[in-house]
Amino acid sequence: MSNNLIIAIDGPAGSGKSTTAKLLAQKLGFLYIDTGAMYRAITYLALRNGIIGDDKKIIELAEKSDIKLDFSEGKTKIFVNGEELTDKIRSIEVNKNVSDVSKIKDLRKILVKKQREMGGKDNGVVMEGRDITTVVFPNADVKIYLTASIDERAKRRAKEFMERGTEVPLDEIKKNLEQRDQIDSSREASPLTKAEDAVEVDTSNITIEKQVDLILKEVKKAAKEKGIQLNIT
Ligand code: DC
């Protein structure tokens, strides 16, 4: 066990994971790792190489991919083999294909290994995704499961698209979220589920500040138990 805290956050798309995890990492001075960005980057490259549906080629692609996440000033940049893919991984095409790519068992093994290496460093870490509390770090010091109603989640995603200059109809977003929820929760390999010992936070009707506060309480508890001094800003 490291001397630092591992904070694991899971939940469906649009439940507020990224916003909450980022703020938390900034407040704590911890590393922030968006694991969804890693599945998205492989999906983007698979689309570009025309290999969607060819699991073997996708696995080979992941093996050859040196993925780097760089979190600074509240934004995560993602690079694969030196090429920046930050904005490209958020396209509608990637949204449509990412859940199917994420089903590939051997791809998950490769990415989970990378995630454990990233999170196992000396710094504290906030890592978010679908299987962080159950598979990647089942012994994390703090385990959180975020949820929100489908309507609220769709509204949030629509706003994100608007902020990036694309208008996408709300019902199209809702349909994509429902499809992804369905695939992510029912797939054979590491489905999205709430870990028994995870603290569930429903974000439908609370502010981001409140979400962060609720999780910070858990973090403080865990730090006290481990005798770790936190430096919260
Ligand atoms: O969090 P996100 O919407 O950016 O994630 C994109 C997809 O990646 C999501 O639909 C399922 C997959 N994913 C996963 O299978 N496991 C993770 N730990 C993170 C994301």
Side-chain angles (χ1 to χ4, degrees), residues 19-32 71-75 126 231-233:
T19 320
T20 312
K22 265 184 220 167
L23 274 172
L24 204 62
Q26 277 177 313
K27 273 185 184 290
L28 293 162
F30 281 14
L31 197 64
Y32 162 62
F71 177 58
S72 57
E73 289 161 19
K75 193 170 178 200
V126 183
N231 194 356
I232 302 174
T233 54

Side-chain angles (χ1 to χ4, degrees), residues 28-40:
L28 293 162
F30 281 14
L31 197 64
Y32 162 62
I33 296 174
D34 169 3
T35 61
M38 299 168 78
Y39 289 92
R40 285 173 178 273

Side-chain angles (χ1 to χ4, degrees), residues 35-36 39-40 98-99 102 108 129-131 180 184 187:
T35 61
Y39 289 92
R40 285 173 178 273
V98 67
S99 280
S102 316
R108 302 198 67 84
R130 301 292 189 289
D131 60 344
R180 282 210 281 147
D184 295 346
R187 69 179 174 220

Side-chain angles (χ1 to χ4, degrees), residues 9 14 25 33 37 48 53 55-56 66 93 108 111 119 133-134 141 155 180 194 221 230 233:
I9 306 180
I33 296 174
R48 193 167 77 180
D55 293 5
K56 198 165 162 269
D66 177 25
E93 250 342 84
R108 302 198 67 84
L111 296 188
T133 58
T134 52
D141 302 288
K155 264 197 264 166
R180 282 210 281 147
K194 180 188 163 302
K221 236 195 282 173
L230 293 173
T233 54

Side-chain angles (χ1 to χ4, degrees), residues 19-20 44 53 68 70 77 81 84 104 120 128 138 148 163 168 186 188 199-200 210:
T19 320
T20 312
Y44 168 76
K68 292 243 152 45
D70 169 34
K77 290 184 181 164
N81 300 334
E84 182 168 4
I104 307 169
E128 51 111 342
E163 282 163 3
V168 186
S186 62
E188 198 196 327
V199 175
E200 183 164 344
K210 179 82 188 159

